[in-house]
Amino acid sequence: MSLETLPTKVRLIDVGPRDGLQNEKQPVPAAVKIELVHRLQAAGLKEIEVTSYVSPRWVPQMADNHEVMAGVRRQPGVRYSVLTPNLKGFEAALLDRPDEIVVFGAASEAFSQKNINCSIAESIDRFAPVVDAALKAGIAVRGAMSCTVGCPYEGDIAPERVGMLARLMKDIGVQRVDVADTIGVGTPLKVQRAIEATLAHYDIDHISGHFHDTYGQALSNTLAALQLGVWNFQSSVAGLGGCPYAKGATGNVATEDVVYLLHGLGLDTGIDLDALVDAGAFISQHLGRPTGSRVARALLAKRAAADPA
Ligand code: HMG
Ligand code: MG
């Protein structure tokens, strides 16, 4: 593999507090979510997806959005983003002054219906005033594109449909987009095809990779995206997560694993891996389960061996 084709800088967006926790059945106290955000920023994360302003009937875990946003001690230079599916969500989010809002659509009609209860075309009609209002308020706008390689209801998704969604997002003023493998079925070439379809509408600086790890392909997919020049990635501390409307899909690729990969490639992330492992251990302990990060497991085992007490 030639290192010359890799980007020289990389930015990680930890989506653990939002994507990671939204699927948890037991309510996670706001104080724990806030502590997680604090630990992530202390570890050097410069972008954190904190919460979402969605219907509490659809996603009860995110009902404490105001409390969480109000409790975060913001650090200068850190971008705090939140999900807003419609104007109601945006108006609620505006009270908490996020740095960026995320509208979330899908390249699959069936997933769009299941996740946000409307067609792709209707979703764009709903997002358009949200995007306008956010930009007028000086808030950045990202668009998540779900099911860019596969859909739990429709199966394989053709790259043309990803291109179509990217064009629609671009037309309404979305500034940058996430190419998401919602159910973690992608493999490197398929993910590259989805990114290439997006590149017809967004330049490489405005595309991020968002890979769930259901089939264990997310790190390979990250490398495949890096080889195309993608340098923004979403990942979730401890590999937390999943979408309630993508049954069976596991969490995002673990941030610790991506950081280990990137550092191994000589790419600077600005992230302190040890502090990140601690953040992952904190939330895993709260959830009462082992971390989903292979790197964190290895490093925690090494620490335990070095200090058996
Ligand atoms: P709907 O039922 O069609 O909405 O849901 P509606 O406009 O008909 O309103 C119905 C009720 O919901 C009303 O309340 C509204 O006020 C309320 P009622 O009068 O019946 O008491 N409502 C809201 N409440 C709070 N916040 C709002 C809001 N909007 C309406 N923003 C809706 C449409 C989009 C709201 C619903 O489908 C929803 O909340 N979906 C969210 C699903 C979700 O959060 N999924 C997970 C995030 S996406 C994801 O994880 C994928 C991603 O990680 C990328 C990837 O991996 O693919 C981003
Ligand atoms: Mg996701």
Side-chain angles (χ1 to χ4, degrees):
M1 182 180 56
S2 165
L3 285 178
E4 279 159 34
T5 63
L6 297 181
T8 51
K9 58 177 175 180
V10 180
R11 171 66 69 102
L12 295 187
I13 305 169
D14 200 291
V15 297
R18 194 283 302 171
D19 202 342
L21 295 179
Q22 71 182 7
N23 213 19
E24 290 297 325
K25 296 289 168 282
Q26 297 304 320
V28 176
V32 171
K33 295 173 181 168
I34 293 164
E35 173 72 15
L36 178 61
V37 172
H38 289 164
R39 284 173 178 260
L40 290 171
Q41 61 193 22
L45 266 300
K46 294 290 179 230
E47 293 202 34
I48 304 173
E49 205 171 88
V50 180
T51 187
S52 53
Y53 296 78
V54 298
S55 162
R57 260 186 247 166
W58 285 61
V59 186
Q61 188 64 253
M62 295 287 112
D64 58 2
N65 40 36
H66 290 302
E67 195 183 345
V68 173
M69 282 294 278
V72 170
R73 277 190 314 275
R74 296 202 192 179
Q75 261 182 14
V78 176
R79 177 180 279 212
Y80 303 90
S81 55
V82 302
L83 265 58
T84 57
N86 53 19
L87 266 180
K88 186 177 170 79
F90 174 73
E91 278 155 15
L94 194 55
L95 302 173
D96 299 325
R97 293 301 306 180
D99 299 303
E100 184 179 55
I101 56 113
V102 184
V103 291
F104 48 105
S108 142
E109 281 294 348
F111 188 78
S112 182
Q113 289 290 352
K114 296 272 187 196
N115 196 40
I116 49 175
N117 206 23
C118 61
S119 68
I120 297 171
E122 285 163 343
S123 75
I124 295 294
D125 289 345
R126 285 183 195 180
F127 300 155
V130 175
V131 175
D132 276 352
L135 295 177
K136 282 199 184 95
I139 297 173
V141 179
R142 179 153 53 87
M145 305 196 296
S146 288
C147 299
T148 61
V149 286
C151 167
Y153 312 103
E154 293 184 15
D156 285 351
I157 298 292
E160 294 71 38
R161 295 171 63 187
V162 181
M164 183 196 72
L165 179 63
R167 182 178 58 75
L168 293 172
M169 292 265 187
K170 185 79 181 183
D171 285 350
I172 59 167
V174 171
Q175 295 168 308
R176 58 178 185 154
V177 286
D178 312 330
V179 176
D181 181 8
T182 313
I183 55 171
V185 289
T187 41
L189 289 180
K190 288 185 182 175
V191 164
Q192 286 187 337
R193 295 296 89 83
I195 293 168
E196 281 161 355
T198 307
L199 275 167
H201 306 284
Y202 284 90
D203 65 43
I204 203 75
D205 295 339
H206 295 92
I207 297 177
S208 42
H210 176 120
F211 308 131
H212 285 258
D213 201 26
T214 317
Y215 285 78
Q217 304 297 302
L219 277 182
S220 312
N221 294 338
T222 301
L223 191 54
L226 280 166
Q227 285 178 304
L228 288 185
V230 172
W231 58 276
N232 287 277
F233 292 95
Q234 282 135 29
S235 57
S236 184
V237 66
L240 301 171
C243 173
Y245 299 98
K247 294 269 175 282
T250 64
N252 295 86
V253 64
T255 309
E256 298 91 318
D257 296 6
V258 179
V259 168
Y260 184 84
L261 169 73
L262 295 171
H263 289 181
L265 289 168
L267 294 169
D268 183 25
T269 62
I271 293 170
D272 174 343
L273 183 54
D274 277 321
L276 183 63
V277 167
D278 290 338
F282 162 77
I283 192 65
S284 302
Q285 197 174 5
H286 174 83
L287 297 172
R289 73 171 84 104
T291 174
S293 160
R294 300 284 292 266
V295 165
R297 283 208 291 272
L299 291 177
L300 289 168
K302 201 168 158 185
R303 280 188 202 171
D307 181 12

